[in-house]
Amino acid sequence: MSSRMRPNQSNTKIAGPAVTAQSAAADNLMMHRSLSLAQAGDVLVVTCPNETSGAQWGDVAARYALKKGLAGVVIHGSIRDTDMLREIGSAAWSTHVSPRHPDKQGHGTVNAPIVCDGVLVNPGDLIMADGDGVICIDKNRAPAVVELALTRMNKENELAQMIANGQMPWDLSGASQCYKALGIEELNQACDD
């Protein structure tokens, strides 16, 4: 998802299958229905067409989600009660923060495909989020993608150890070879000489 999707608190990571909701503007009825259906380990993914019209998520829903064991929530729209969400440890990502209270009367969809911050999310897709942002992995491709990610993580751990042992990222990353291939002439003098 885009860089607008930000975590409410630092040092938080989640992963789990998506349970989706599309809410009407200024309304979070569909969010509450999807929350009632979600299971432990799920990630609630909610989109609202008018992002700042009314908060989709706050401390009451978060307390229930924590009791159920949800992994977290991703909101294309507003959340509120952000201080309390941090205090109780609710893992929440959103595109906006707003104190506006929503209605609970609008139509929408639950556990159907939605577009959240420009990304198609199907129920059951793997949602992963951390301080860098949120990604959605198609549920049918998730095992292969996770395997590739673990391979990359192991490689980066090896690189970190090599750097700790004194090697330079300039050489380890291949940057030195790329630089050499450009044929850049280096001058060992100041620009004003």
Side-chain angles (χ1 to χ4, degrees):
M1 296 180 189
S2 80
S3 58
R4 295 183 324 131
M5 188 66 72
R6 300 305 310 148
N8 185 52
Q9 62 187 24
S10 58
N11 299 317
T12 301
K13 297 176 183 179
I14 62 168
V19 174
T20 64
Q22 168 120 18
S23 296
D27 194 283
N28 70 353
L29 181 63
M30 296 301 119
M31 180 284 295
H32 277 285
R33 181 59 181 147
S34 64
L35 177 58
S36 73
L37 298 172
Q39 302 294 314
D42 287 345
V43 176
L44 207 60
V45 182
V46 181
T47 189
C48 179
N50 186 348
E51 296 177 47
T52 60
S53 63
Q56 292 294 308
W57 192 255
D59 70 322
V60 172
R63 289 175 192 279
Y64 182 66
L66 287 169
K67 183 167 180 53
K68 286 186 85 168
L70 267 65
V73 61
V74 174
I75 306 284
H76 182 180
S78 297
I79 63 172
R80 66 183 193 161
D81 307 322
T82 57
D83 291 337
M84 183 57 70
L85 294 179
R86 282 189 289 275
E87 185 177 316
I88 65 175
S90 174
W93 282 254
S94 70
T95 56
H96 292 282
V97 173
S98 172
R100 294 180 69 180
H101 187 275
D103 291 328
K104 291 174 180 47
Q105 306 175 47
H107 292 278
T109 61
V110 172
N111 250 359
I114 63 170
V115 175
C116 184
D117 196 29
V119 175
L120 176 64
V121 180
N122 290 292
D125 283 352
L126 177 60
I127 304 297
M128 299 177 76
D130 62 14
D132 291 336
V134 180
I135 62 171
C136 174
I137 303 169
D138 180 286
K139 62 186 166 199
N140 297 315
R141 297 184 56 218
V145 171
V146 169
E147 185 62 35
L148 289 170
L150 290 172
T151 299
R152 182 178 181 134
M153 185 178 72
N154 289 336
K155 175 74 172 161
E156 289 181 358
N157 288 339
E158 290 173 12
L159 290 171
Q161 186 59 50
M162 291 173 174
I163 291 168
N165 292 335
Q167 291 184 306
M168 293 175 49
W170 174 251
D171 296 319
L172 295 172
S173 69
S176 63
Q177 293 299 325
C178 293
Y179 185 80
K180 183 178 179 181
L182 291 174
I184 296 173
E185 180 183 352
E186 289 189 6
L187 303 176
N188 194 10
Q189 64 188 37
C191 290
D192 60 355
D193 286 350

